[in-house]
Amino acid sequence: MKNGRKIALITGISGQDGSYLAEFLLKKDYIVHGLIRRASTFNIERIKHLLNYPHQDEKLFLHYGDLSDSGSINDIFAKTEPDEIYNLGAQSHVRVSFDVPEYTTDVTGTGVLRMLEAMRRYASKAKFYQASSSEMFGKVKETPQNELTPFNAQSPYGIAKVFAHETACRYRDAYGLFISCGILFNHESSRRGENFVTKKIVQGVAQIKAGLQDKLYLGNLSAKRDWGYAPEYVKAMWLMLRQKKPSDFVIATGETHSVKEFTEAAFKRAGIKNYKNYIGIDKRYYRPNEVNLLCGDASKAKKVLKWRPKTKFAELVNIMTDFELENLDIKKLSELKNKTHV
Ligand code: NAP
Ligand code: G4F
């Protein structure tokens, strides 16, 4: 605490969830510290609007560090003295984790161990949120999946998240630390990374609508996901740290839809008929192991956290598609105004 205000430390603050969470906590008058990586371009597009929020000092601070580097993590803990830690940083792309398995294991798995060790040494009274994932359920053993469903991870990413999750739970038991894990199912928004399927689809649809692209190439269209809306999911993270006791919670909508359904709905929203004419399959986007079906049961979160998903599939597709259509490059659009697929 500083001057009666809570201090939060967020890893992954430059990502989709980190940006929404930072916004949410700043509105609640937290002092927010974020860990960012050095990149050749300044990688804070999603949070740059928060840097002077709300035009006062002492609100948002960014620190260079890396989940692969214990020294930087320890320094940030010692320097910032957080009350709440939200560990969202990860190499979070499942397909890419097959290309860089060792790196993914180090950042997404061992990185969590580094964070927990730092917490044990420098912030043992703090509360810790671990970003666990429905990808841990992998080839699912039951449907829908809840907090007791056995894990069966299929990717280096999923396996790293299982390691991270189990380590977080054991640190909670062994050292009496307040550590809660949110097992979040897929959640999307206009801030979603461009190489995740929902964002790729809506961007492709907008480009096709504008005549800037002929076809959208995808991988496995039959995979099914439980897709929710990211801003609602970061509130659940915060609610988990408001409880008397730490625990694990599934956060999901309880609905599952295929990639094909998402694609069809996005083309429909853009007013493009015969969507199949604009879709191509590229096997490069297939994974060595696929997770065919995810569908979450968030009953525990509904009961204990009083959390509920508000935005369901159809509305999510509309929000994401409308954003891309509204943000099309107007100049290019006017050059191409005679082309139409409607
Ligand atoms: P995201 O947009 O990919 O953001 C990942 C964040 O981690 C970025 O800020 C990234 O920094 C940072 N990061 C990557 N490697 C790092 C490293 N070596 N050291 C420090 N930071 C690093 O992911 P997201 O969708 O916001 O997801 C947030 C967390 O929830 C992740 O842990 C993800 O695995 C997990 N999760 C996500 C979902 C989902 O559907 N979105 C579902 C379940 C769990 P750069 O900006 O520099 O790349
Ligand atoms: O959008 P995706 O890449 O997300 P995925 O693999 O489900 O992972 C996301 O959700 C996890 C939670 O379950 C998070 F933990 C993780 O960090 C990440 O946020 O792919 C969704 C589905 C897959 O089945 C994939 O095979 O879409 C299929 N797909 C089909 N064509 C594609 C494509 N995925 C991508 N990225 N690109 C395609 O062209």
Side-chain angles (χ1 to χ4, degrees):
M1 296 278 270
K2 192 171 174 192
N3 302 329
R5 286 160 65 201
K6 284 215 170 80
I7 301 173
L9 170 61
I10 305 176
T11 70
I13 194 166
S14 56
Q16 171 188 255
D17 290 6
S19 68
Y20 285 120
L21 180 66
E23 234 163 61
F24 179 85
L25 295 177
L26 287 168
K27 280 191 190 135
K28 295 205 169 290
D29 203 34
Y30 279 60
I31 296 171
V32 176
H33 293 274
L35 181 148
I36 54 164
R37 299 192 288 172
R38 189 265 162 188
S40 65
T41 53
F42 207 32
N43 184 17
I44 55 157
E45 197 55 36
R46 293 182 179 105
I47 49 169
K48 66 179 187 212
H49 63 292
L50 299 175
L51 281 174
N52 290 316
Y53 181 95
H55 312 296
Q56 289 173 18
D57 291 337
E58 300 270 297
K59 282 282 189 179
L60 174 61
F61 300 89
L62 300 178
H63 308 261
Y64 281 114
D66 201 294
L67 286 167
S68 63
D69 186 89
S70 310
S72 64
I73 293 172
N74 290 341
D75 275 356
I76 290 171
F77 269 79
K79 245 191 298 190
T80 62
E81 300 181 357
D83 300 299
E84 293 173 20
I85 301 132
Y86 296 87
N87 186 40
L88 312 184
Q91 191 302 92
S92 73
H93 200 284
V94 175
R95 174 67 192 83
V96 172
S97 78
F98 287 98
D99 301 328
V100 285
E102 195 178 330
Y103 173 76
T104 303
T105 303
D106 189 27
V107 172
T108 308
T110 313
V112 180
L113 181 66
R114 296 184 185 105
M115 290 289 292
L116 293 168
E117 273 297 306
M119 178 196 192
R120 196 163 75 80
R121 285 154 209 264
Y122 300 106
S124 60
K125 298 275 178 288
K127 295 179 175 185
F128 191 103
Y129 172 84
Q130 168 55 19
S132 293
S133 165
S134 52
E135 186 68 16
M136 301 189 301
F137 297 122
K139 284 205 194 312
V140 297
K141 304 251 178 171
E142 63 183 5
T143 296
Q145 298 85 47
N146 64 32
E147 293 79 5
L148 301 176
T149 302
F151 299 141
N152 190 15
Q154 297 297 312
S155 59
Y157 168 82
I159 295 164
K161 282 287 183 189
V162 172
F163 169 82
H165 180 85
E166 294 289 355
T167 305
C169 294
R170 298 298 81 78
Y171 266 59
R172 173 167 73 208
D173 304 339
Y175 301 115
L177 298 171
F178 192 114
I179 299 166
S180 288
C181 302
I183 307 175
L184 271 52
F185 282 63
N186 299 50
H187 46 281
E188 319 291 313
S189 71
S190 56
R191 294 188 197 167
R192 188 56 145 149
E194 294 181 359
N195 57 359
F196 294 96
V197 78
T198 55
K199 181 76 169 178
K200 182 174 165 183
I201 293 168
V202 292
Q203 279 192 334
V205 165
Q207 297 280 319
I208 288 168
K209 175 87 179 169
L212 300 170
Q213 191 176 316
D214 294 328
K215 268 195 185 252
L216 170 62
Y217 287 91
L218 295 168
N220 180 9
L221 299 184
S222 55
K224 291 179 127 185
R225 290 290 183 273
D226 180 331
W227 280 298
Y229 189 40
E232 294 168 11
Y233 283 43
V234 301
K235 183 171 183 196
M237 299 172 187
W238 177 77
L239 286 172
M240 285 177 216
L241 301 196
R242 309 271 68 71
Q243 305 309 303
K244 285 214 174 81
K245 285 188 183 159
S247 193
D248 307 323
F249 295 91
V250 159
I251 300 296
T253 69
E255 274 185 31
T256 188
H257 295 272
S258 66
V259 173
K260 185 171 168 230
E261 284 173 82
F262 193 105
T263 311
E264 196 170 356
F267 273 98
K268 192 168 172 208
R269 180 68 175 181
I272 304 174
K273 289 180 186 146
N274 303 322
Y275 81 97
K276 283 185 182 155
N277 295 342
Y278 304 102
I279 298 297
I281 299 299
D282 187 333
K283 293 214 163 126
R284 277 184 307 162
Y285 301 120
Y286 277 70
R287 288 141 193 220
N289 271 344
E290 179 60 284
V291 168
N292 295 314
L293 165 74
L294 291 173
C295 183
D297 171 4
S299 305
K300 182 178 170 187
K302 285 179 188 161
K303 188 165 168 232
V304 179
L305 305 178
K306 316 279 180 245
W307 178 88
R308 284 200 140 57
K310 294 191 188 82
T311 308
K312 296 290 186 77
F313 179 75
E315 200 187 339
L316 175 69
V317 176
N318 292 350
I319 291 171
M320 291 183 72
T321 310
D322 291 354
F323 177 87
E324 296 305 324
L325 291 171
E326 281 158 21
N327 287 281
L328 272 171
D329 187 324
I330 303 298
K331 192 163 157 249
K332 278 191 187 152
L333 252 184
S334 63
E335 283 164 14
L336 293 154
K337 64 177 182 279
N338 294 326
K339 284 195 181 179
T340 175
H341 295 286
V342 183

